[in-house]
Amino acid sequence: MSSTPTLHLTVGLPGAGKTTRARELEQAHGAVRLTPDEWMIPLFGLRWTEFDGKRDVLEGRLVWVGHQVLRAGTSVILDFGCWSPEERYALRAIAGLAGAGFEMHYVSLPEDERIRRATARWREAPEEVFEMTPEDHARFHGQFTPPTPAELDGSPLPPPPAPFESWPAWASERWPSLPRLDA
Ligand SMILES: Nc1ncnc2c1ncn2[C@@H]1O[C@H](COP(=O)(O)OP(=O)(O)O)[C@@H](O)[C@H]1O
Ligand SMILES: [Mg+2]
């Protein structure tokens, strides 16, 4: 095993294949996989439209755990989706704070196939993933900003948006349950 741990981030819309990829990474790297969907239903039940905000609380704590695991020398997979570049920049900055490497794993499919797989998966395992309507899928597609080639190549991090002094500061606002990791 390499001595430098890596933060692996899966990026993409529901059904695109993130968790499948995350499981492969877990096997290949002996990494700890943190998949919020596996926590949301046991913690909060099946009606996902009712718990806006709870996912942010959960993700913030998973980022915090992930940072601790990286510092302990083990690779981590945050199987989050990460629809915005700011989220991806912030998590890359946090990997850097932990002295870890960073790898983004972007998965994408044509929309019809992605929605077909997401729907089939829900039918097979309704206790593991949430039901999504065609309207949900269309909304998610509109909210997703795919990584640019520069982002995928690991070009230098841009500065955080004002008024944040650092990406970890931005992250603690985005995920309020995440302590300031650079304080
Ligand atoms: N190469 C593939 N061909 C067909 N189905 C696949 C493939 N990869 C994954 N799937 C299935 O597609 C569904 C969605 O994959 P998953 O990895 O759970 O996506 P995500 O985590 O992005 O929502 C799952 O039922 C999975 O088994
Ligand atoms: Mg998944």
Side-chain angles (χ1 to χ4, degrees):
M1 288 300 293
S2 135
S3 57
T4 303
T6 298
L7 174 57
H8 298 273
L9 185 66
T10 57
V11 173
L13 286 165
K18 297 180 299 297
T19 301
T20 303
R21 175 73 63 86
R23 289 200 175 99
E24 291 165 4
L25 292 165
E26 181 183 2
Q27 292 295 319
H29 301 287
V32 173
R33 178 174 57 87
L34 299 172
T35 297
D37 283 353
E38 293 177 352
W39 298 65
M40 288 299 291
I41 290 174
L43 284 171
F44 304 126
L46 290 167
R47 306 278 304 277
W48 68 280
T49 48
E50 288 170 9
F51 46 66
D52 246 21
K54 289 202 174 88
R55 191 179 183 95
D56 295 337
V57 173
L58 173 62
E59 287 187 357
R61 286 281 145 163
L62 293 180
V63 173
W64 186 52
V65 169
H67 179 259
Q68 292 177 63
V69 172
L70 291 169
R71 292 194 48 175
T74 297
S75 294
V76 167
I77 307 141
L78 295 182
D79 183 19
F80 275 26
C82 274
W83 295 358
S84 81
E86 289 80 11
E87 291 169 345
R88 301 186 294 257
Y89 293 144
L91 294 174
R92 199 167 123 197
I94 286 168
L97 275 183
F102 179 81
E103 278 182 34
M104 190 156 39
H105 304 269
Y106 172 43
V107 289
S108 69
L109 284 175
E111 278 295 276
D112 54 351
E113 177 63 9
R114 177 183 78 72
I115 293 168
R116 199 190 62 70
R117 287 189 194 178
T119 306
R121 179 191 50 182
W122 178 74
R123 289 213 183 95
E124 282 159 23
E127 69 290 350
E128 285 174 23
V129 288
F130 304 114
E131 184 177 17
M132 287 167 259
T133 65
E135 294 73 31
D136 292 328
H137 281 299
R139 195 175 68 252
F140 297 159
H141 186 254
Q143 290 170 351
F144 180 61
T145 304
T148 60
E151 207 192 323
L152 288 166
D153 282 351
S155 59
L157 280 178
F164 298 99
E165 63 197 58
S166 67
W167 280 112
W170 183 91
S172 292
E173 171 97 359
R174 164 64 184 83
W175 293 285
S177 61
L178 174 66
R180 266 297 286 275
L181 295 172
D182 61 345

